[in-house]
Amino acid sequence: MIEEIAHRAPGFKPKVAVLLGSGLGSFVEEVKTIAAIPYAELQGFPKPTVRGHEGRLVLGHVGATPVAVLQGRAHYYEFGRTDEMRVPVEAMAELGCETLLQTNAAGSLRLDMPPGSLMVITDHINFTGVNPLFGLGAKRRFVDMVDAYDPALVQRLMAAAKAESIRCHDGIYIWFCGPSFETPAEIRAAVTLGADAVGMSTAPETILARHAGLRVAAVSVLTNYAAGLVPGAIGHDQTITVANASSGQLRLLLRRFLESYG
Ligand code: HPA
């Protein structure tokens, strides 16, 4: 599979891998594309089943920075496997990427972060009871998760947001398995635990990326207030609609960050 990628983009060595979440795939329009390969043509890559996840690897440049964009992810809830993104994440490390920059759509646990806001993730909580490194064998299984979301990259994302005059929060992301949304009681518990945003992805990929030796950065687009924070129901339609509507700001932020990546 690495050979297949090398064959499509001979000599290309990406520095940053960018993983695009629900409704956020349009960032690829910022990439001066060298090659675009459907996941279906890459052995071991998942077949995303969620609307808003294209399932393509796009290789190219943002400014002078060579990037590999994973346009769409598979989630634990789709196949019941937490390591669904292991092959793509490890492929990014093998291709020479040093950083995995993730995006996702998430629910807000804070009234001062309304739908449409951006939040740079500073840490995560995984109380799901599962882990993508289950069963991997003894080699480097005890991965350190201190500063898993690289503090220097957090600062650079915040600086990029400021330079683009984008109001950007920072905070802690809690991973829930889904696919049902959380109950209001679960969200109250998550607030008590110290979470600022909730979602169904990202934490497993961060663990896999740290295991593969990649630095990690991540940005959430907050598409709704989490269950029970305000009256009313929550649905995936809103996730897609608000993510699409906010993708312009996210694009500016990621472009600025990547152009100045160095
Ligand atoms: N909960 C979990 N995942 C989500 C949410 C939410 O409220 N919004 C977008 N993704």
Side-chain angles (χ1 to χ4, degrees), residues 105-108 176 181-182 187 198-200 221 223-227 234 239:
S108 171
F176 274 71
F181 284 105
E182 302 71 34
I187 292 301
V198 59
M200 303 178 194
V221 174
T223 54
N224 55 281
Y225 284 121
I234 297 171
T239 301

Side-chain angles (χ1 to χ4, degrees), residues 84-219:
E84 200 55 50
M85 291 301 288
R86 181 149 80 89
V87 169
V89 168
E90 289 181 353
M92 296 302 103
E94 212 175 315
L95 283 176
C97 291
E98 58 183 43
T99 293
L100 174 67
L101 171 59
Q102 301 199 57
T103 67
N104 63 41
S108 171
L109 271 55
R110 283 177 23 197
L111 291 172
D112 68 332
M113 300 196 302
S117 308
L118 301 183
M119 187 191 92
V120 174
I121 299 178
T122 55
D123 205 349
H124 79 222
I125 298 171
N126 171 21
F127 276 7
T128 61
V130 292
N131 190 295
L133 304 183
F134 278 173
L136 255 197
K139 202 169 130 241
R140 288 189 51 242
R141 85 177 14 134
F142 299 113
V143 175
D144 179 26
M145 293 297 288
V146 175
D147 290 341
Y149 298 84
D150 193 300
L153 298 180
V154 168
Q155 282 204 351
R156 277 151 70 169
L157 279 166
M158 297 305 284
K162 200 167 170 207
E164 292 288 347
S165 304
I166 295 169
R167 179 142 188 256
C168 191
H169 304 267
D170 61 26
I172 294 168
Y173 176 94
I174 187 165
W175 175 38
F176 274 71
C177 290
S180 53
F181 284 105
E182 302 71 34
T183 64
E186 286 164 349
I187 292 301
R188 284 194 297 278
V191 170
T192 303
L193 289 173
D196 301 290
V198 59
M200 303 178 194
S201 69
T202 305
E205 293 92 332
T206 295
I207 295 168
L208 290 165
R210 294 304 297 143
H211 180 259
L214 292 164
R215 298 168 79 187
V216 176
V219 186

